[in-house]
Amino acid sequence: MLRRNPRTHRGRLGIAATAAGLLAALLTATPAGAVPGPGDIPEKKISSSAQAEVEAAIESGEIPGVDEIVHSDNIEHVSNTPKDLLPGTNSDLAFQGDYAFSGNYDGFKIFDIKNPKKPKVVAQVLCPGSQNDISVSGDLLFLSTDSSRSDDSCNSTTQPVTEKSSWEGMKIFDISDIRNPQYVASVETACGSHTHTLVPDRDDVYVYVSSYSPNAAYPDCQPPHDGISVIKVPTDAPETAAIVNFPVLFPGEGELGGGNPGSPVNPGVSRTTGCHDITALPSRKIAAGACMGDGILLDISDPANPKVIEQVQDNVNFAFWHSATFNTDADKVVFTDELGGGGMATCNAEIGPNRGANGIYDLVGKGRNLELRFAGYYKIPRHQAETENCVAHNGSIVPVRGKDIMVQSWYQGGVSVWDFTDSAHPKEIAYFERGPLPNGAGGGTWSTYWYNGYLYSNDMAKGFDVLKLNDRRTNQANGVHLKGLNAQTQPEYFKR
């Protein structure tokens, strides 16, 4: 049974404002998931009276206190491992066997999670580069660099993107010795690598690199940049990894290319200049892409040559198409809208339930004649304070036959477990969150994924959390065992 959270019903803290200092911090020292675009809410400084209102709400119990943990009765907080030698922003997660791999803007960390109640750090690798989106396949670990660096080494320093010699792209590590990862290869990619997606193909792994926001002043990130970089990695010779294709996903004329033109044609919508994230479903040979102003489906039957087979837009409520997740039956796709780039307070009454939310699309048709049909929105019902950056972010399916259930991060909105079996009427069934960070700081949980009976969450500021979901609607998932999980390479949970 859910504990009643007064924020579901409160109205006085639903203010659509964010401190200028919060946004600046998120985009520099602790960057958010995406660079804010035209869908951003105009930033305002929090007035002393507004800050006092938040403090009064904490004092009255209307919202949790600073750093206070609250959760529904059906979630247990199993453990927390604070950040240690890598003080940067925690980002994405990947899993293999009894290990969890945690991305961090300063590098990555490897946890032994054989006992989820007591995760053990077995390796920490210092290798700065923003995002450090992470995936694992066999003995290889892949790391995205989406900031302009002086070179491709782990000792690089920041360097202006206008410098031709600057580097950003993919890094590859050998983790055959799990306690001593070795850097083995790098591949520079146009506009860097914000995120990446692994597509296995026999003895090779293809890497789809998503990046965006070109500029004529950037030598290695020229407009229109309306596609993705495809890297081929021979698993027995990863040092030979190289770009094999740059498929144009949004063909069009001129510097803008194709895709959503964004503002001012579609006010408040990001112009499509690449993709933010792609989720592959290798068992069906399809992928779903979240590409700034567009949502797409891809045919990946030829991994080196992905082709767009469906394209949708939502120019009313979606500002920035951020990520995608298939349900277990592959007849639905959940797209997330990262309104405000992850650095603003959007989980409040003023913004409402449809912006900064998930869009649920039913997938109809057969073969390559697939269509995406909008069915409904989902947003957490727990309104957050104006100091809390909150918006839909990374999550995964909780594998239950006959049900569509997802766990998902919402930055300072915490972790939400929600049921979208009825696409038009999704509902939250469990949650975990902390109260506001001190002094209006930005943070919260970046990624939360189900893996072999537990929920693993990477909090940008607080570290690595392990949660246990105890609910009759989801307990069936405890019988599912995966050998590994990269959320952007979605497994087939149940054999068809």
Side-chain angles (χ1 to χ4, degrees):
M1 187 171 184
L2 294 179
R3 294 175 181 165
R4 182 179 180 275
N5 190 319
R7 289 191 291 175
T8 302
H9 305 282
R10 82 168 193 265
R12 69 186 183 122
L13 290 174
I15 302 172
T18 298
L22 166 61
L23 180 59
L26 283 170
L27 295 181
T28 54
T30 56
V35 177
D40 296 348
I41 302 163
E43 60 178 282
K44 302 176 183 177
K45 289 187 177 180
I46 297 177
S47 65
S48 57
S49 60
Q51 182 64 44
E53 187 176 30
V54 173
E55 293 171 359
I58 292 173
E59 180 68 25
S60 69
E62 188 176 0
I63 66 173
V66 171
D67 286 343
E68 178 187 358
I69 291 175
V70 295
H71 57 84
S72 54
D73 290 338
N74 54 357
I75 276 188
E76 174 190 357
H77 189 202
V78 175
S79 65
N80 171 264
T81 306
K83 292 190 295 185
D84 187 11
L85 299 180
L86 302 178
T89 298
N90 276 341
S91 58
D92 213 359
L93 293 168
F95 305 86
Q96 187 165 261
D98 290 331
Y99 297 98
F101 302 83
S102 168
N104 179 286
Y105 276 56
D106 285 332
F108 64 91
K109 186 181 295 188
I110 303 175
F111 293 91
D112 181 336
I113 55 171
K114 189 172 185 178
N115 180 0
K117 295 182 180 180
K118 295 182 178 180
K120 298 177 181 177
V121 177
V122 298
Q124 296 190 73
V125 176
L126 180 64
C127 196
S130 72
Q131 285 290 120
N132 275 343
D133 188 45
I134 193 167
S135 295
V136 176
S137 178
D139 289 337
L140 300 178
L141 181 148
F142 300 83
L143 207 62
S144 284
T145 299
D146 193 32
S147 60
S148 186
R149 312 295 299 182
S150 56
D151 55 56
D152 65 348
S153 75
C154 285
N155 298 315
S156 67
T157 57
T158 58
Q159 184 165 291
V161 69
T162 52
E163 293 286 338
K164 176 60 180 173
S165 63
S166 296
W167 184 93
E168 49 187 319
M170 289 298 308
K171 295 170 182 169
I172 304 172
F173 292 78
D174 183 326
I175 54 169
S176 53
D177 180 354
I178 200 71
R179 297 178 181 276
N180 188 29
Q182 297 296 310
Y183 185 11
V184 296
S186 70
V187 180
E188 186 172 14
T189 55
C191 301
S193 176
H194 195 75
T195 66
H196 66 267
T197 305
L198 304 187
V199 181
D201 184 52
R202 295 183 290 276
D203 293 331
D204 301 320
V205 173
Y206 287 89
V207 185
Y208 294 170
V209 176
S210 295
S211 56
Y212 55 93
S213 294
N215 189 302
Y218 302 163
D220 299 318
C221 185
Q222 292 288 295
H225 191 70
D226 46 13
I228 58 174
S229 297
V230 178
I231 299 172
K232 182 179 180 180
V233 185
T235 55
D236 59 352
E239 67 278 4
T240 66
I243 294 174
V244 294
N245 197 9
F246 187 88
V248 174
L249 305 181
F250 305 98
E253 299 296 327
E255 182 176 304
L256 297 182
N260 201 316
S263 298
V265 177
N266 295 315
V269 178
S270 295
R271 175 164 65 90
T272 298
T273 58
C275 290
H276 180 277
D277 211 344
I278 293 171
T279 294
L281 191 61
S283 63
R284 294 291 184 93
K285 299 187 184 304
I286 57 174
C291 303
M292 303 183 72
D294 295 86
I296 59 174
L297 281 178
L298 295 165
D299 177 351
I300 59 170
S301 53
D302 178 358
N305 296 281
K307 291 180 169 52
V308 176
I309 56 177
E310 172 70 322
Q311 180 178 351
V312 292
Q313 297 178 354
D314 179 347
N315 294 321
V316 176
N317 288 312
F318 261 48
F320 189 98
W321 295 68
H322 176 275
S323 53
T325 303
F326 292 95
N327 67 339
T328 54
D329 290 333
D331 58 10
K332 297 178 185 179
V333 182
V334 174
F335 289 101
T336 67
D337 173 26
E338 197 183 38
L339 174 68
M344 296 185 178
T346 73
C347 299
N348 50 51
E350 189 168 333
I351 298 301
N354 297 336
R355 302 194 68 212
N358 296 314
I360 305 161
Y361 285 76
D362 291 334
L363 191 54
V364 299
K366 295 182 179 181
R368 295 302 173 255
N369 297 314
L370 295 170
E371 295 182 9
L372 290 164
R373 293 182 183 173
F374 174 77
Y377 295 108
Y378 171 75
K379 191 172 183 179
I380 58 172
R382 295 165 285 108
H383 292 158
Q384 307 295 302
E386 67 173 286
T387 60
E388 295 179 281
N389 56 300
C390 175
V391 74
H393 215 239
N394 292 0
S396 75
I397 291 297
V398 179
V400 178
R401 287 187 184 273
K403 295 284 187 181
D404 297 321
I405 297 175
M406 185 172 177
V407 60
Q408 185 176 16
S409 285
W410 290 76
Y411 291 117
Q412 287 198 70
V415 175
S416 177
V417 181
W418 57 288
D419 186 326
F420 62 104
T421 307
D422 181 346
S423 302
H425 301 95
K427 59 183 179 181
E428 183 171 80
I429 63 173
Y431 69 88
F432 168 91
E433 68 166 294
R434 292 178 168 91
L437 286 167
N439 304 315
T445 173
W446 178 296
S447 301
T448 306
Y449 301 130
W450 178 94
Y451 182 67
N452 294 346
Y454 288 85
L455 308 178
Y456 295 90
S457 180
N458 223 14
D459 189 287
M460 294 192 285
K462 295 299 180 180
F464 182 66
D465 288 305
V466 183
L467 311 173
K468 180 66 175 176
L469 185 61
N470 298 296
D471 192 292
R472 60 179 176 76
R473 293 164 290 191
T474 59
N475 286 342
Q476 179 196 121
N478 293 332
V480 178
H481 184 81
L482 301 177
K483 294 181 180 180
L485 175 68
N486 297 305
Q488 289 76 29
T489 307
Q490 207 165 315
E492 185 176 30
Y493 293 100
F494 305 114
K495 296 297 182 182
R496 297 178 178 87

